[in-house]
Amino acid sequence: MALESVNPYTGRVLRRFRAFSWPKTERILAQVHRTGQQWRTTSFAHRAGLMHRAAQLLRERQDELARLMALEMGKPVTDGRAEVLKCALTCDYYADHAEDFLRDEEIKTEARRSFISHEPLGVVLAVMPWNFPLWQVFRFAAPALMAGNVGLLKHASNVPQCALALEKVFQDAGFPEHAFRALLIGSDLVERLIADDRVRAVTLTGSEGAGAQVAATAGRHIKKTVLELGGADAFIVLADADLELAARIAAQARMINAGQSCIAAKRFIVEKPVVKEFVARMKEHLLAFRPGDPLDDATQYGPLARPDLADELTLQVEDSVRQGAKVALEGGQDRPGTALFRPMILRNVRPGQRAYEEELFGPVAVILEARDADDAIRLANDSRFGLGGSIWTRDEQRGQDLARRIEAGAVFVNAMVKSSPEMPFGGVKKSGYGRELSHLGIREFVNQKSIWIAKPEEQEEKKVE
C-alpha cells in the first residue's frame, strides 16, 4: 500500500510513501511506550523549555510549513501561515500554564490530607484529519506532551509530508526521539493499535463514521477517547442585527478553509423580515472571494483537498435540488473530477433534504427562514450535530440568553465561531464528546488520582497503678 501526496490544485503527485507494515508500526509503538516511562518523570520546567522551543521553530518555519499545506491539501499560504502561528501560540500557552492546570488539587475530607493528583496515562494515539493538518495535531499534542504523555500520530493519508514535518518539529526542539512519532499507515492498522495495551487513550478529529468506528473499538478495549466530529453550525441572524456586519462575517464563516471546517457556519437561520436583504448582502461578499493558486498570496480560497470531496459535495447539492431546494447563488465545480468548488447558496431547504440533514463540507451556504427568535432556536437545535453556533443581534443580553438555549459546545454572540487555546473546544450530540484546549483539554488524558493520607491514630498509654 502506498500513501500519495497529491497537489489538489494541479493534480500532480508530489511524493509517494510506502505505508508502514505492522511489524514496523509495532516497533515504533514499543519505542514510544518505553520513552513514555521516562518522559512522565520529567519536570514541567523541562517540558516547558522544549515546548517553547517547538513554538520558536514553528515561527521560524512558518513559510515552509504553509507552503507544504498549500501543496498537499490546497490551503492558501496566507491561511497556512496563520495556522502555523496559532500552533506556536498554543505551544507557548501550555508551556506556560500546564503546571498550574495539573497542580495537586486539595480536597477537604476527614483525612489528615487528601488531594487529586493529575498523572499522565502514557501513549495517546491521535487519528487526525487533513483540513487543518498542523492545528488539529498541535491542539492535542501540546497539552498531551506537557502532561507527561507521549504521542502516536496517524494522520490523514493525503498529508504524509505534513505528518513527517510535525514529527521533525518536536525532534528538532529537543524532545526525545520517540516522544512523538508519525505513523505512515492506512486506517486498516488503527484497530490493531487501539487493541494494544500499550496504547492508553485515543483522540480523533474526523467524520461521524470514523468517530463511531474508533469509539466502538476503544470501547471494546476499555480505552479513554475524545472525539471531535462533524458540525452543521447555526448562524442565527435576528431582525435587529447589524445586517451588513452579519452578512460580511457570514461569508467569511462559510469560507473558512474553502468551507472545509467543522466549525465553519453552514446553516444560516435568518428571521423572515430581513432574510431577503441578508441573502443579497451575503451573496455579494461570497462573490468577492478570490480563488486561485494556493501558493499565491492573493488567493483567498483554493480547491477542496481532493476531487472526490468536490464530487460528493456536488452530489449532495444536486440531490437537495431534486428534493426541492433552490439555488440562490450558482457556483460549484466547473466539471466533475476537479477540486475547485465555487461558493453556492441554497434556499427553500426543508427537513428530509440532504442539505438539511447532512454536513456540507465545502462552500455551500444553507438559508433557513425563521418566524421569530424562538423558531430560530428550534431550527438551530433541529440537527444531530452540536459543535458550534453564533447569534447576531444588537441586544447583547438577549443574545446571551438565547445562546444558553442552543445545543452546542460553543456559541458566539456577534462573532464568528473560532477555537483558541484559552477556551474549551468540542461538541455534543453527534459532534462528539470530550474537550480539547483550555484546562479541560489537558485534563482529558490524565489519571485523576485520589490520594488520601490518614490521620495518625491517637494512642493513650494508661498507667497501671
Side-chain angles (χ1 to χ4, degrees):
M1 176 183 173
L3 305 181
E4 289 190 339
S5 176
V6 180
N7 183 335
Y9 183 71
T10 64
R12 294 177 181 171
V13 176
L14 304 171
R15 288 188 65 183
R16 288 188 177 91
F17 298 85
R18 183 184 297 275
F20 293 177
S21 64
W22 172 250
K24 181 173 182 177
T25 300
E26 193 277 334
R27 188 163 59 250
I28 293 172
L29 169 59
Q31 293 167 331
V32 172
H33 177 67
R34 284 195 298 270
T35 297
Q37 302 308 303
Q38 177 60 35
W39 180 249
R40 66 185 294 125
T41 67
T42 58
S43 68
F44 281 108
H46 176 69
R47 298 173 204 163
L50 300 180
M51 195 61 73
H52 279 308
R53 175 59 180 155
Q56 181 182 346
L57 288 176
L58 285 168
R59 293 184 175 100
E60 292 172 1
R61 298 176 184 179
Q62 62 179 287
D63 288 337
E64 63 185 86
L65 292 171
R67 177 180 173 80
L68 190 56
M69 286 187 280
L71 290 172
E72 278 206 309
M73 54 75 55
K75 188 187 300 289
V77 287
T78 51
D79 293 347
R81 293 187 198 104
E83 180 171 335
V84 177
L85 294 178
K86 189 172 184 178
C87 294
L89 176 70
T90 301
C91 288
D92 283 336
Y93 178 79
Y94 280 107
D96 291 338
H97 296 288
E99 186 170 9
D100 285 339
F101 289 160
L102 300 180
R103 196 177 299 281
D104 290 347
E105 186 177 344
E106 299 290 332
I107 305 293
K108 186 175 178 60
T109 67
E110 64 187 49
R112 183 174 69 81
R113 184 188 179 212
S114 50
F115 61 95
I116 300 170
S117 173
H118 304 282
E119 302 176 5
L121 295 180
V123 179
V124 180
L125 171 64
V127 182
M128 293 287 112
W130 45 260
N131 56 336
F132 292 90
L134 269 63
W135 171 237
Q136 304 278 15
V137 176
F138 271 96
R139 71 188 196 197
F140 130 75
L145 289 168
M146 282 303 304
N149 295 302
V150 287
L152 272 178
L153 170 64
K154 188 281 176 207
H155 218 325
S157 59
N158 61 323
V159 289
Q161 294 189 80
C162 287
L164 295 175
L166 285 160
E167 180 183 87
K168 185 167 173 48
V169 166
F170 284 113
Q171 292 180 353
D172 290 352
F175 285 84
E177 180 183 0
H178 303 296
F180 180 92
R181 292 296 307 273
L183 299 173
L184 300 188
I185 60 174
S187 56
D188 57 309
L189 295 187
V190 171
E191 183 171 353
R192 201 165 177 178
L193 277 169
I194 296 173
D196 195 292
D197 286 341
R198 289 167 293 189
V199 171
R200 299 295 172 83
V202 188
T203 180
L204 176 140
T205 298
S207 68
E208 182 183 343
Q213 289 180 342
V214 164
T217 302
R220 285 197 301 273
H221 298 284
I222 323 297
K223 303 289 176 75
K224 173 67 184 291
T225 54
V226 168
L227 303 180
E228 195 271 282
L229 309 178
D233 286 11
F235 189 106
I236 297 174
V237 181
L238 300 183
D240 70 339
D242 180 334
L243 285 189
E244 175 54 28
L245 175 63
R248 177 167 57 82
I249 302 302
Q252 294 175 10
R254 178 62 283 205
M255 294 301 293
I256 298 170
N257 203 36
Q260 302 168 112
S261 169
C262 296
I263 56 170
K266 299 184 177 79
R267 297 179 300 141
F268 298 86
I269 302 170
V270 188
E271 277 198 275
K272 187 175 181 177
V274 296
V275 66
K276 184 176 180 180
E277 182 181 354
F278 173 81
V279 171
R281 290 173 182 262
M282 185 181 181
K283 185 185 299 186
E284 290 179 4
H285 290 295
L286 286 173
L287 289 171
F289 276 83
R290 294 188 302 274
D293 187 340
L295 294 174
D296 185 344
D297 278 340
T299 295
Q300 293 180 302
Y301 72 96
L304 300 193
R306 300 192 312 264
D308 64 292
L309 299 170
D311 289 342
E312 173 58 25
L313 185 58
T314 296
L315 185 59
Q316 288 176 297
V317 170
E318 290 176 345
D319 286 348
S320 299
V321 170
R322 278 193 291 270
Q323 294 163 336
K326 304 296 184 185
V327 176
L329 174 62
E330 297 280 354
Q333 287 177 294
D334 291 335
R335 62 184 185 280
T338 58
L340 182 65
F341 198 104
R342 301 178 194 278
M344 299 185 71
I345 296 177
L346 294 182
R347 295 193 62 178
N348 199 41
V349 175
R350 300 284 185 267
Q353 297 172 7
R354 294 189 70 182
Y356 190 95
E357 307 293 345
E358 300 176 5
E359 178 181 26
L360 301 182
F361 212 61
V364 180
V366 172
I367 305 295
L368 302 175
E369 190 174 300
R371 293 187 301 273
D372 52 29
D374 287 337
D375 193 41
I377 298 299
R378 178 191 67 79
L379 287 167
N381 291 336
D382 189 26
S383 170
R384 68 177 188 269
F385 298 109
L387 190 55
S390 64
I391 298 175
W392 295 79
T393 173
R394 284 188 167 92
D395 187 337
E396 184 178 303
Q397 184 59 53
R398 185 188 188 202
Q400 183 179 139
D401 292 342
L402 291 171
R404 295 180 183 275
R405 295 170 56 190
I406 295 179
E407 298 167 350
V411 182
F412 285 55
V413 178
N414 295 329
M416 182 170 63
V417 177
K418 64 180 180 180
S419 57
S420 62
E422 302 88 355
M423 292 288 284
F425 184 86
V428 295
K429 300 194 287 188
K430 292 296 191 291
S431 288
Y433 52 74
R435 291 295 180 265
E436 297 177 300
L437 304 174
S438 83
H439 67 285
L440 298 181
I442 198 171
R443 291 185 177 185
E444 286 284 2
F445 296 124
V446 295
N447 174 16
Q448 298 173 1
K449 181 189 290 184
S450 297
I451 298 183
W452 177 288
I453 314 298
K455 292 179 179 177
E457 292 182 359
E458 295 180 2
Q459 297 181 356
E460 294 184 2
E461 292 183 7
K462 293 184 179 180
K463 292 182 180 180
V464 179
E465 296 183 356

